[in-house]
Amino acid sequence: MEILVTCSAFTILAITLIAIILAKLITVIYRKQTYWKSRQVPYIRSVPILGVMWKFFFRRITILELSDEMYNSYPNARYVGFISAIFPAVLIRDPDLIRDVAVKYFDHFTDRYNFVNEEIEPMFGKSLSLLRGERWKEMRNILSPSFTASKMRFMFQLVSKCSQDFVDYLVEHPEYSSFIEAKDAFARYTNDVIFTVAFGINVNSLKDRENEYFVRGKTIFDDIFGSIFKVLIINTCPAFAKMIGMKIVSPATTSLFRRTISDALKTRREQGIVRPDMLHLLMQAKDKDSETELTVDDIVSQAFTFFLAGFDSSSTMMCFMVYELALNPDIQEKLRNEVDQYFDETNGEINYETLSKMEYMDMVVSETNRKHTFSVFIDRVCTQEFELPPAEPGYNSVTIKPGDCVWFPDYALHHDPKYFPDPEKFDPERFNEENKGNILPYTYLPFGVGPRQCIGNRFALMEIKILMVHLLRKFVIKPNEKTSVPLVFKKANFALVPVDGWWFSLEKRKF
């Protein structure tokens, strides 16, 4: 009888405990789900735990379709509230409000959302793009001088040599250049550029197709963009992820980057080697106020960030650019004529200054960045309370609290006909001298906005433009039977990856 009483008491206790936990969980979920409704803010309905991104996580829509749904949910509102996973956030649609948050009141929104825990991914988590507060400010001050126009000139010859080697291979291998999958090809180019410029290692990934640096580099993006649930777990349950040893970047890849940079630093210091590359600039970099130099770990993290920023985003922009040039032969011919003009004027000696003078090249690249923005959302994290005005008549103003996120929908802004008429048309003339002044500020955000915009945008533009110069000098870009029109992108993938790839053909020019 006593055993039955004991069991009964234990059962009651267990049921009570479970009921309390469930009640607590339901209360937390209810508060999250009604967070914006209770504040009289227009909001997007979502699913508990997964938030507004549930359709994306379950492969029902692409990231671009999610962006459109969110942006158009309240077409007259300056902003809308939503739940991102389990965190409250605001999607800001109004350009003036984007300016206020990202620039005018930047001190209230200094941080970016850190989807990688530094304890789990120390090399990734210490990168400039993810650092917060004073640590970000100090690192930005140290690194900024490395990305000036003078430093781009310093590195130009290395980048130009990579682009020439790339195009020379295409010229010498017509069996390859006649039918190319653009992402694979341009990822090899950006891989070579980054390892040459940031790591001091000469690689030719078209010739040596299975070299360790390209293979390892490619796996990083497969890990980051290919496993959204792993990212979600690390993001929302870092303690659990750490306990089970879950990582985004494999230990073998981390070891390769650390070993490569550490060995290069040691060799250069011992032998006094000076090479016009990013590694040299990082070795020289220090805080002008405190005289603090970068540690080896700092250099490894920033070089790794340089790799992450350049490998995928730049190669993707090149894919979109050749895609548009293949489908718009009149634009391609006009751009080629400009390239030929400068080749003739300089006897083929294209330098950084020459590249900067190519107006139509800049227009084509700018329009590519508008129509096919690499990022879909730009985020900021509130660090000081900030009051947003009412989203539209009939709603309340709302106080954004520290830890809350704000998103800027750059892709949707670039495709809003209110700001860019006929947005699906590829039209470089939007960016000519006469028209570019008419673009409403803070509606064109290809490299982010404010003090936390991409620090390496000059390098990315240089890398893209010089390759296109050499490519157009030697070839005519054409579509083929595998070229998808329009492009259809994979679902549940943060990166813009076409289902059938980017295919094009190169035809040698006849001089």
Side-chain angles (χ1 to χ4, degrees):
M1 180 64 72
E2 290 182 3
I3 294 176
L4 291 175
V5 170
T6 302
C7 289
S8 178
F10 179 78
T11 301
I12 293 171
L13 181 63
I15 292 172
T16 302
L17 183 61
I18 292 171
I20 293 172
I21 292 173
L22 286 175
K24 180 77 171 178
L25 182 61
I26 291 171
T27 301
V28 170
I29 291 174
Y30 177 78
R31 286 176 180 171
K32 292 294 183 183
Q33 293 301 108
T34 60
Y35 184 88
W36 294 116
K37 182 179 180 180
S38 64
R39 287 162 175 76
Q40 289 289 299
V41 171
Y43 69 99
I44 304 169
R45 295 183 182 276
S46 61
V47 170
I49 308 301
L50 296 178
V52 77
M53 302 184 77
W54 69 274
K55 290 183 185 178
F56 173 69
F57 285 136
F58 284 108
R59 301 176 185 271
R60 294 183 59 178
I61 60 175
T62 66
I63 192 70
L64 299 183
E65 291 167 334
L66 173 65
S67 171
D68 285 341
E69 280 191 8
M70 295 176 68
Y71 186 77
N72 295 315
S73 59
Y74 290 85
N76 297 316
R78 301 182 71 185
Y79 59 86
V80 294
F82 67 97
I83 301 298
S84 171
I86 59 174
F87 307 107
V90 174
L91 182 80
I92 299 183
R93 306 175 71 259
D94 178 63
D96 290 338
L97 205 51
I98 290 174
R99 175 203 60 205
D100 289 349
V101 168
V103 181
K104 189 175 180 180
Y105 297 101
F106 172 73
D107 59 326
H108 290 67
F109 296 89
T110 57
D111 295 342
R112 290 191 62 190
Y113 185 63
N114 194 342
F115 69 94
V116 176
N117 188 290
E118 187 176 330
E119 293 185 4
I120 298 174
E121 296 281 1
M123 186 170 71
F124 201 169
K126 290 175 66 175
S127 65
L128 177 66
S129 60
L130 297 179
L131 287 176
R132 293 184 165 195
E134 285 301 312
R135 292 181 67 199
W136 167 80
K137 186 176 180 181
E138 290 172 3
M139 187 61 70
R140 179 87 181 195
N141 288 337
I142 292 173
L143 295 179
S144 290
S146 299
F147 291 92
T148 60
S150 62
K151 294 304 192 297
M152 293 306 102
R153 294 186 189 93
F154 180 68
M155 295 182 286
F156 178 80
Q157 291 304 321
L158 292 176
V159 180
S160 183
K161 177 65 165 56
C162 287
S163 67
Q164 287 177 310
D165 289 346
F166 180 86
V167 173
D168 286 345
Y169 181 90
L170 299 178
V171 170
E172 295 164 4
H173 295 80
E175 75 285 356
Y176 177 75
S177 60
S178 61
F179 218 76
I180 301 178
E181 201 291 301
K183 184 59 179 177
D184 177 78
F186 292 136
R188 294 177 185 278
Y189 165 67
T190 55
N191 178 79
D192 295 352
V193 168
I194 293 166
F195 272 97
T196 297
V197 173
F199 299 82
I201 297 173
N202 292 320
V203 186
N204 191 321
S205 298
L206 281 179
K207 287 184 177 179
D208 183 6
R209 302 187 67 81
E210 297 302 317
N211 71 81
E212 185 179 16
Y213 302 108
F214 176 75
V215 172
R216 284 292 177 192
K218 192 171 181 298
T219 62
I220 294 175
F221 293 92
D222 291 341
D223 291 339
I224 294 174
F225 295 125
S227 181
I228 58 175
F229 283 103
K230 182 189 290 187
V231 173
L232 181 65
I233 291 171
I234 291 175
N235 182 17
T236 57
C237 308
F240 174 72
K242 184 178 180 180
M243 182 179 69
I244 64 175
M246 179 180 288
K247 290 182 177 292
I248 295 176
V249 181
S250 71
T253 301
T254 301
S255 176
L256 172 66
F257 277 82
R258 184 176 296 279
R259 184 180 69 251
T260 299
I261 296 174
S262 297
D263 290 348
L265 289 173
K266 181 180 178 182
T267 300
R268 291 188 185 198
R269 285 170 175 157
E270 289 178 351
Q271 301 180 19
I273 296 173
V274 175
R275 192 171 184 270
D277 58 18
M278 182 59 62
L279 193 56
H280 176 70
L281 296 176
L282 289 173
M283 290 172 66
Q284 288 188 315
K286 58 185 176 183
D287 190 314
K288 62 183 178 181
D289 296 323
S290 67
E291 295 297 312
T292 301
E293 296 187 5
L294 296 181
T295 65
V296 172
D297 283 347
D298 289 331
I299 292 175
V300 171
S301 292
Q302 302 322 313
F304 181 69
T305 303
F306 189 62
F307 173 82
L308 290 177
F311 182 93
D312 197 58
S313 60
S314 294
S315 61
T316 298
M317 279 300 106
M318 293 174 201
C319 291
F320 281 123
M321 189 167 172
V322 297
Y323 177 80
E324 292 292 353
L325 292 176
L327 298 184
N328 297 276
D330 54 331
I331 294 174
Q332 181 183 165
E333 187 59 25
K334 185 173 181 179
L335 181 56
R336 181 178 294 103
N337 290 338
E338 181 180 66
V339 168
D340 288 347
Q341 174 194 335
Y342 280 99
F343 256 91
D344 294 340
E345 290 179 0
T346 62
N347 294 317
E349 297 296 324
I350 303 294
N351 56 31
Y352 185 76
E353 285 71 23
T354 305
L355 196 67
S356 301
K357 293 176 183 177
M358 295 186 181
E359 294 182 4
Y360 197 66
M361 175 69 77
D362 191 66
M363 291 162 58
V364 173
V365 172
S366 296
E367 176 65 351
T368 303
N369 278 323
R370 179 204 67 82
K371 187 179 177 184
H372 304 288
T373 316
F374 177 76
S375 66
V376 179
F377 300 105
I378 300 167
D379 69 86
R380 294 290 183 271
V381 175
C382 180
T383 52
Q384 298 181 45
E385 282 194 359
F386 184 81
E387 185 174 305
L388 293 176
E392 58 180 314
Y395 289 99
N396 294 339
S397 59
V398 64
T399 299
I400 303 296
K401 299 180 180 180
D404 288 351
C405 279
V406 295
W407 289 10
F408 311 136
D410 51 332
Y411 192 95
L413 287 167
H414 293 184
H415 289 256
D416 189 332
K418 180 168 59 176
Y419 306 124
F420 298 96
D422 197 5
E424 297 308 315
K425 179 182 179 182
F426 187 77
D427 183 12
E429 296 303 326
R430 300 178 200 272
F431 294 91
N432 65 29
E433 283 299 320
E434 180 181 353
N435 293 330
K436 66 182 180 182
N438 297 325
I439 296 174
L440 187 67
Y442 302 98
T443 61
Y444 179 64
L445 311 171
F447 293 102
V449 58
R452 289 207 72 139
Q453 67 180 309
C454 176
I455 194 174
N457 62 332
R458 278 196 182 99
F459 185 88
L461 293 173
M462 176 178 71
E463 177 185 27
I464 292 169
K465 289 178 180 180
I466 191 59
L467 177 65
M468 292 302 159
V469 164
H470 291 297
L471 194 65
L472 291 169
R473 181 65 176 173
K474 297 290 186 180
F475 294 101
V476 175
I477 304 168
K478 293 188 172 184
N480 55 47
E481 60 267 28
K482 294 188 71 173
T483 305
S484 298
V485 183
L487 291 171
V488 177
F489 295 103
K490 291 182 179 180
K491 297 176 180 177
N493 200 310
F494 289 109
L496 301 179
V497 180
V499 172
D500 298 316
W502 280 285
W503 289 92
F504 70 102
S505 295
L506 294 174
E507 182 182 284
K508 285 186 183 179
R509 291 182 62 189
K510 297 177 182 178
F511 290 92

